[in-house]
Amino acid sequence: MKKYILPIFFSFLSTISWGQQATFNWVSENISEGDNLQGMTVTGDSSAVIVGYNNILMKKNIDAESWTKINAFKPTYDFIGMGSNGGTTVISSRRAKIVDHPTGGKPDVYVSSVLLKSDDEGETWSLMDGSKIGSGTDPKINPNATGAYNKDIYSVGVFNADTFLVYSGWYTISTGTKESEGAIFQTNNGGEAWEPIVTGLGSRIINAIVVRDSIAISGGNKSLFKTNILSGTTTDIYPNLALGTDSDLYVFAVEMINPDTFYLTTTADGVFKTTDGGNTFTMYNGIGGGNDILPLNDSSIIVLGSSTKSKITTNNGATWTDCYPGETCFKIGGVLGDTLYGLANAVTYKIAVADLVEKNFNWVTHELNPDERLQKMCIYNPNNALIIGYAEMCKKTTDGGLTWNQSSLPESFDEDIQFDFSSLSNNGESAFATVRRFKIVDFPSSSEINDFFMEGLILGTTDNWTSYSLLDISKIGINEDNDASLNPQLEGCYGLNPYIIECVDNSTAFLYANWYETVTTGESESRGRIFKTTDRGETWTGITPDFGASYINSIEFSGDTGYIAGNSILLKTTDGGENFIDLYPALADVNDGDSSIFINSVVMSGKDEFYLPTPSDGVFVTTDGGETFSKIDGVAGTNDIYLLDRNSFILLGSTSKSYFTNDGGTNWLDPSVGKTVYSIGQVFNDSLYALSNGVIYKIAVEDLDIKTSSKEITQNNEIQVQYAPDHINIASGNNLIEQCFVYSVTGQLVTIKQPNTNVCRLYNNEYRPGIYLVMVSVKGKKITEKIVFQ
């Protein structure tokens, strides 16, 4: 985030006046209660973007009334489990991928699955609280305990409006190694509390839970359980199924007629039936398995699956006839009216039951979910039915299957990972944002196991967040050999945290990242450096010494001149990061040799003039590139500073550390917003923005009563203004343009560009029509011209 003011003044502005008349009429707007806002950028005269904790990435156009959320991490849930009884229906999803890292990069990131309930036959849905599944603190039996993550609710069974069963699988890291866990849970109070009834399943997925009367049958990978819901007892009946057949059966589907009679299909080991509640099983001859099974009458049974496992018998299994619909069906939906439904990829296969029994296989297709798999079907009566599938498909029919319409799903599924944006930086429409690492398991300090993190992220855009992509953080330091203080990708390094980023242009950025490593000493050590990329993240090269546990809070560049500041750190480069000068000793000298100055940010007003706000040591300023510093009188410290012009600047922090002056610091007023401000944004649409906890504040610049002295606009032949139909070029004949500042006629800074070429291009669509002033810096000389956008 860049905050500049130029050491020049415009002729049409009033002469300086020392009497302060500013009024602080702050207007607040709630963004996200309780979540710190972290940064703001402004693109030309067109839009602003803010970031903050808990997934806050929001954009506001110049003519918009409110901020619009950019869903950078919006997962798409694949509905897979469904149970129904009466009017109550419960559906579940698989866990959803929320971060799709580039191929070969870091592991993808998932959020836990969702559980939805309908009490009106699938018309509307409410989100159930999946965080209540399980009890106790043991992550091996509680998918919501510390140390457990990526909860996956795969199957559902419903007994009544209050009592359901679900199978959940998840991962634990409590031993330091990722392990698969699984259990079946039951609630008797509508999901307010869940208790495990089968634990220790490991990676064995339960594919089906079917409830009839008070009995539930749960089947899956080498698993088959019978639960008496009323008594709360569960019996393992898998040994009865495997007896005399195979100890490695995968039960894919269960179809219950009543508590004593039910059918099972396995993926490749046959089709089975029991008539004594699972004490004994009979395997049908002539069929090797399938995806689902449905008895049609006393003698007819259909099995659907692949081309070799789609068969029908009309003589109780004595013989089987192929009835493949033309595509693999994953589930038999049931019979709606007089029509049987098979659910395949994207389409249903339909056939009249009478034709099926007569072996007239006149299958008809109906596309419901383009390119996505259908999963389950619930039939309420001959007219009403529901089908769910991948990509959040949940469609209802009320006319016997003639038409299908999407049910009303909750707008938000409240994902269980909080992505905290920590940094935002742009140059025109190119921008980068960082997300700090997320701790999944916090092991005690006495543990020999390292804490387990979801590593941080970097997002980039070239079109002002109309679209964006994920940069591959596995490239950070990857080419730095075996130095764990320089290469966070080595085995033994963990918790990579891309914390602060500075966007120079579409391809070039500077990044402060920190991490932990156990390579050097065998003990956990904190590491951190500045990395540079010139190819949009394909390579990142470390350019500073190791900062250890000291955090960097600010990276600011103007051309090749840059400053890096943080906890007892202040570095300067004049060659784009090739070499650095340590400015901290000169700063410490002004503060009685203080070795612990915590610098919040670097606020530049030129290559050699900048301000350093600190929380409690005051605000420091230099006008000679850091050779010497002075401390601003009357200021005890603050969180951030914004320079409105040479004499007018505002400092915001806590309510007792907020200051404003428009006479160069001779007098100070209290501009506090009423609560702590962590960062000052920028001037956007004639208002100055301040970022706080969940709230953004703005104040009209005219209320600040800025008094600015003036000089005549420079007239010279060193730059040329070239008008084109869609842009204006500011051209320098012989030298590079280091910086280009665009001001409105009221003197407010609108745009900062750092072209480092002979031409700075300003596009018409980024500015409202009118007169502007543009100031360019060429070889340290500042030249100002008037321009007009049509």
Side-chain angles (χ1 to χ4, degrees), residues 53 55 67 79 133 171 202 312-313 389 517 637 643 674 771:
Y53 291 172
N55 306 314
W67 296 84
F79 293 137
I133 295 176
Y171 295 124
I312 186 171
T313 179
E517 58 97 352
L643 309 174
I771 300 172

Side-chain angles (χ1 to χ4, degrees), residues 224 235-245 272 276-281:
L224 189 62
T235 305
D236 184 1
I237 59 175
Y238 180 77
N240 303 339
L241 174 66
L243 183 65
T245 55
F272 299 83
D276 55 13
N279 292 322
T280 61
F281 289 87

Side-chain angles (χ1 to χ4, degrees), residues 22-28 671-672 687 697-700 702-704:
T23 56
F24 304 107
N25 301 312
W26 293 101
V27 176
S28 64
S672 173
S687 291
Y697 293 87
K698 68 178 181 178
I699 186 171
E702 63 181 16
D703 286 348
L704 298 177

